[in-house]
Amino acid sequence: MLKARNQALLVHGLQVPTEKQVEQVAALARRLLQDLQGEVGVQPDLEAIPLPR
């Protein structure tokens, strides 16, 4: 369990995620946003916040 926790991307992992892992999470988030927009019909005004690396 400790290894899984340390590798978790969205919790408190201790390992830095790779660029590919970050893109995979971002792609899932974009898909979720698209699905929510389709269900609700609302277009939120979202601005990207740059994250330090």
Side-chain angles (χ1 to χ4, degrees):
M1 271 217 260
L2 182 62
K3 182 179 178 184
R5 184 203 69 190
N6 290 344
Q7 293 176 339
L9 291 177
L10 299 178
V11 189
H12 49 75
L14 301 176
Q15 292 182 346
V16 177
T18 65
E19 193 71 33
K20 182 178 179 181
Q21 290 171 321
V22 171
E23 183 52 44
Q24 288 174 338
V25 172
L28 290 172
R30 285 191 292 272
R31 175 66 191 265
L32 175 60
L33 177 60
Q34 289 173 348
D35 289 349
L36 289 172
Q37 288 171 338
E39 288 288 324
V40 181
V42 176
Q43 188 76 304
D45 182 23
L46 300 176
E47 181 180 326
I49 299 172
L51 299 175
R53 294 196 180 245

